[in-house]
Amino acid sequence: MELQPINTPPRRRELPVIQKLVAAYKLWHTFFPTVLKTARHTLGAKIDFLFVELLELLFTASYSSKERKTLILQNAKNKLDLLKFFSQILWEIKALDNKKYILISEK
């Protein structure tokens, strides 16, 4: 029996805001293992969870009715504010270095 080559799935057409957030999450994902161990399983895990929640909310909003979309986007805004807040604290306690904080903040 001959094995068939594995095809990659077609690229999804996502909203630019989702694409930008995915790029930021990919960058965070490379930084996460370097976060100081004392903060990795607390603030680091919270930030990781907020990224995933935010991606889920934006994806859901992109397929929701106008009425429902407004509530979902408000919730997403709150999650983004929390993500920024906890990221800043992570940097302030020096669990994330300056260069990485600047890179993730620019995304």
Side-chain angles (χ1 to χ4, degrees):
M1 173 176 246
E2 187 175 327
L3 293 176
Q4 297 294 323
I6 297 175
N7 294 326
T8 58
R11 186 73 179 135
R12 301 176 307 278
R13 295 198 47 88
E14 298 164 337
L15 295 173
V17 67
I18 294 174
Q19 292 174 354
K20 196 166 182 154
L21 187 60
V22 167
Y25 180 69
K26 287 178 180 178
L27 182 61
W28 164 252
H29 193 69
T30 65
F31 295 165
F32 186 63
T34 66
V35 171
L36 290 180
K37 189 175 183 180
T38 55
R40 187 178 318 138
H41 300 292
T42 53
L43 280 176
K46 179 68 174 176
I47 291 166
D48 197 68
F49 184 72
L50 284 168
F51 262 117
V52 174
E53 277 192 314
L54 192 51
L55 282 165
E56 181 180 355
L57 287 168
L58 292 176
F59 182 81
T60 302
S62 70
Y63 290 100
S64 296
S65 65
K66 187 176 181 180
E67 299 80 28
R68 193 157 175 255
K69 188 177 296 199
T70 303
L71 292 172
I72 294 170
L73 291 177
Q74 182 60 46
N75 194 6
K77 180 192 172 301
N78 294 339
K79 298 288 182 186
L80 180 61
D81 290 344
L82 283 171
L83 179 66
K84 291 176 182 179
F85 175 71
F86 287 127
S87 297
Q88 182 176 352
I89 292 173
L90 193 69
W91 171 73
E92 287 175 359
I93 64 172
K94 301 193 184 326
L96 186 67
D97 68 48
N98 291 344
K99 183 179 175 185
K100 290 175 183 166
Y101 179 71
I102 290 168
L103 285 171
I104 201 75
S105 297
E106 290 174 342
K107 292 280 183 184

